[in-house]
Amino acid sequence: EAQASNAERVLQALIDVAVEEKQARYDELSTMSMAERVQDSFVAYPATKTEQKAIVTIVDNPGTSAGALTSIGGWKTQSWQFYFSAMCKKREAILWPDTPSDPQSPGALMQLLIDDSGENEGLSLKTDVEDMFRKMGFGKKKRKLAKVSATS
């Protein structure tokens, strides 16, 4: 009986520590920008070759449709969207540090990184996310700068 009681106390102590660690990690991630979470997620889960290709494809080709990104990547039938969203889903615990009871679809997670302001045609990464990917070594082309109209 004493052994069972000790086992219960040890088990409860382990559960308490796990809850405290999870809350501390949540608190840490909640204060980070999305770009910082992107970096953190790729430290925790380095990109596969396919993920690297999906990232480079959008970093080097902003404002491009998903179909065109698929072709540029050498894939078929909307594969770019599949690979990019699966990459985000794999890193959900860092990109979307919410409760496990509030999981996000891969497409919704992808939208955390994509600029949906409507200012760009096609798909582009949010500027801070693109900057972070570039700092991490993704992308070969220089960033395309927005055209500035001259006023007289």
Side-chain angles (χ1 to χ4, degrees):
E1 195 170 302
Q3 206 173 16
S5 177
N6 284 340
E8 285 179 22
R9 281 197 311 269
V10 168
L11 180 59
Q12 187 58 50
L14 289 172
I15 291 169
D16 292 345
V17 167
V19 167
E20 288 172 13
E21 287 177 352
K22 184 176 181 179
Q23 185 63 48
R25 181 65 171 149
Y26 175 82
D27 292 345
E28 175 189 8
L29 290 170
S30 296
T31 63
M32 295 169 73
S33 70
M34 181 54 66
E36 291 168 327
R37 282 186 265 160
V38 165
Q39 181 181 31
D40 198 57
S41 73
F42 283 92
V43 168
Y45 306 102
T48 66
K49 288 185 181 197
T50 301
E51 291 170 344
Q52 291 172 15
K53 190 175 182 181
I55 295 165
V56 168
T57 301
I58 191 167
V59 167
D60 284 349
N61 301 283
T64 305
S65 70
L69 291 170
T70 294
S71 294
I72 292 165
W75 299 301
K76 297 180 180 177
T77 63
Q78 301 299 326
S79 296
W80 179 86
Q81 284 176 291
F82 172 78
Y83 293 130
F84 198 84
S85 62
M87 173 190 79
C88 293
K89 185 67 175 173
K90 181 169 133 180
R91 292 163 178 83
E92 178 176 14
I94 297 171
L95 295 175
W96 184 258
D98 216 350
T99 62
S101 64
D102 188 24
Q104 297 295 306
S105 71
L109 288 165
M110 186 172 99
Q111 291 303 312
L112 295 172
L113 308 184
I114 300 294
D115 179 6
D116 60 359
S117 67
E119 293 178 19
N120 297 314
E121 289 187 29
L123 299 171
S124 296
L125 292 169
K126 292 179 178 175
T127 303
D128 60 335
V129 171
E130 180 184 338
D131 289 344
M132 184 57 72
F133 276 134
R134 287 183 181 281
K135 285 180 187 172
M136 294 165 57
F138 296 104
K140 296 172 182 79
K141 298 178 183 177
K142 290 188 176 192
R143 171 183 280 177
K144 293 180 183 178
L145 300 174
K147 294 179 183 177
V148 178
S149 60
T151 57
S152 320

